[in-house]
Amino acid sequence: MKVSIITVSYNAVKTIEQTILSIKAQSYTNIEYIIIDGKSTDGTLEIIKKYQKYIDHVICEPDKGIYDAMNKGIAKASGQLIGILNSDDYYEEEAVAYMVDAMTEDKYQILYGFTRTVKDGIEYSISRRSHTFLSEEMIDHPACFVTKAVYDDFGSFDLQYISAADYDFMLRMNMIP
């Protein structure tokens, strides 16, 4: 099964290399890696070019914000399962394999795992937010994987929400029987 990983970036020169290397290091290898860059001007594109052979698709063009970039990546993705990893985040080397192992035969799935927060090089916290508490808090987005069928059949991120389109998406999906 192919898994599509989407990284959205804009002026992420300080962090995107670690993000790319974390995808390159995955133990699960049937990964389509997509980077959507909002026309960075700080050296981000040079780092992306450095690792081009590990990236299946790069789109570099202005966008209408992070959720527009995510939607572009979702539209480009061909994997059955999609993860969105921001340019200042990274996956541990077994992350994608764990998500693939957790999948069932259900067409519509939203899977999520743990998030490790590191601040100034020191582990700050480990959390796993559950969909059970969506009315109170958002699932940690970088730890979410969604089947392509969910996006295809129910839509993606609503651009009217500048900073909470992912939360809106999860709340909408939580309403589907």
Side-chain angles (χ1 to χ4, degrees), residues 10-137:
Y10 181 71
N11 289 342
V13 72
K14 293 179 182 176
T15 57
I16 196 163
E17 187 166 29
Q18 181 180 22
T19 305
I20 294 169
L21 290 173
S22 81
I23 300 303
K24 180 180 175 278
Q26 288 302 297
S27 63
Y28 189 85
T29 58
N30 192 4
I31 294 175
E32 170 189 49
Y33 191 32
I34 302 166
I35 295 181
I36 309 297
D37 183 81
K39 223 44 171 152
S40 291
T41 59
D42 69 342
T44 298
L45 297 176
E46 286 75 17
I47 293 172
I48 292 170
K49 286 177 188 166
K50 177 179 171 182
Y51 295 101
Q52 182 67 49
K53 67 181 177 182
Y54 304 107
I55 305 165
D56 296 285
H57 307 284
V58 175
I59 297 173
C60 180
E61 62 189 21
D63 54 54
K64 297 174 185 145
I66 191 168
Y67 299 111
D68 183 38
M70 289 177 180
N71 285 346
K72 288 178 185 182
I74 291 165
K76 187 75 173 165
S78 64
Q80 182 183 347
L81 188 63
I82 299 173
I84 299 175
L85 184 66
N86 295 327
S87 59
D88 61 349
D89 294 324
Y90 65 92
Y91 288 147
E92 305 229 354
E93 67 183 36
E94 297 293 323
V96 176
Y98 288 144
M99 292 297 116
V100 170
D101 288 345
M103 286 190 70
T104 66
E105 295 297 320
D106 295 337
K107 182 178 180 181
Y108 304 121
Q109 295 180 62
I110 298 176
L111 307 168
Y112 49 89
F114 290 91
T115 302
R116 181 185 317 268
T117 303
V118 178
K119 184 176 182 180
D120 299 324
I122 300 168
E123 184 174 275
Y124 184 73
S125 68
I126 297 176
S127 63
R128 183 172 181 254
R129 294 193 171 93
S130 168
H131 69 281
T132 307
F133 301 102
L134 267 174
S135 63
E136 299 169 25
E137 63 185 357

